[in-house]
Amino acid sequence: MSLTALRNIRRWLLNGETFILVALFISLMLVAVTQIVMRNFFASGIIWAESFVRIAVLWIALIGAMIASRDGQHISIDVVVKKLPAGIRPIAQRLSALFTSAVCYVMTWHSLQFVLQEYRYGGIAFAAVPNWLCEAIIPIAFLIISLRYTISIVLPNSLSQ
């Protein structure tokens, strides 16, 4: 596969992340505003609106974290790294990326176990949408973040490109 093809795939995936984030945010706002209007003016509401809003916030937060990690803007404590001599700084950044990816891999594993448990339980989140499907973003997001930080160990500038 050529480098151009890989760049096109990467761009397509990054645009997909952004699209999902924007679509979720718009749907969250529409459902929330509709719910407010229906409750205040019609003494009614959408039965599943509160559940949808909670789950949409979870998805927005985790997709936002994925986007932050792709741009190298994820929360990090880099006060010490900035004070290090320029020659040592890349090593410290790689160690930080290693630690971050390790933590995210552990979170991926445990959140996957949680989602599998929810799948076996078979609960419903809202409408006919199962709990496990709503929670599936948790291991997916942590896996993507951990992969990005793992890549940044080998290619230190990969998070900011």
Side-chain angles (χ1 to χ4, degrees):
M1 189 174 287
S2 71
L3 190 57
T4 304
L6 287 174
R7 284 188 179 135
N8 287 337
I9 292 170
R10 181 179 185 271
R11 187 172 11 96
W12 183 81
L13 290 171
L14 298 181
N15 288 339
E17 282 178 357
T18 303
F19 174 80
I20 292 169
L21 181 67
V22 170
L24 276 170
F25 184 73
I26 290 170
S27 66
L28 169 74
M29 295 308 294
L30 288 173
V31 169
V33 168
T34 301
Q35 182 75 344
I36 290 168
V37 168
M38 289 179 72
R39 283 197 174 180
N40 288 332
F41 296 109
F42 302 107
S44 180
I46 304 168
I47 294 172
W48 48 264
E50 281 81 16
S51 294
F52 173 80
V53 168
R54 277 194 307 273
I55 291 163
V57 167
L58 172 70
W59 277 65
I60 289 168
L62 289 168
I63 293 172
M66 288 168 42
I67 289 172
S69 72
R70 82 176 183 204
D71 296 333
Q73 299 298 315
H74 206 269
I75 295 173
S76 65
I77 302 172
D78 58 357
V79 174
V80 175
V81 174
K82 287 182 178 181
K83 300 289 183 188
L84 292 173
I88 299 174
R89 207 172 294 150
I91 295 168
Q93 289 170 332
R94 285 183 168 143
L95 287 173
S96 175
L98 176 65
F99 179 74
T100 303
S101 65
V103 169
C104 288
Y105 280 121
V106 169
M107 291 299 297
T108 300
W109 171 256
H110 288 289
S111 60
L112 180 60
Q113 298 309 306
F114 170 71
V115 171
L116 291 172
Q117 183 179 14
E118 286 289 340
Y119 176 77
R120 287 188 290 271
Y121 177 69
I124 300 297
F126 65 91
V129 179
N131 283 333
W132 72 267
L133 189 58
C134 297
E135 297 156 348
I137 189 62
I138 303 169
I140 291 168
F142 278 112
L143 178 62
I144 289 171
I145 292 168
S146 56
L147 289 172
R148 285 182 174 151
Y149 276 93
T150 300
I151 291 167
S152 76
I153 295 167
V154 179
L155 306 170
N157 296 328
S158 65
L159 292 179
S160 59
Q161 294 178 354

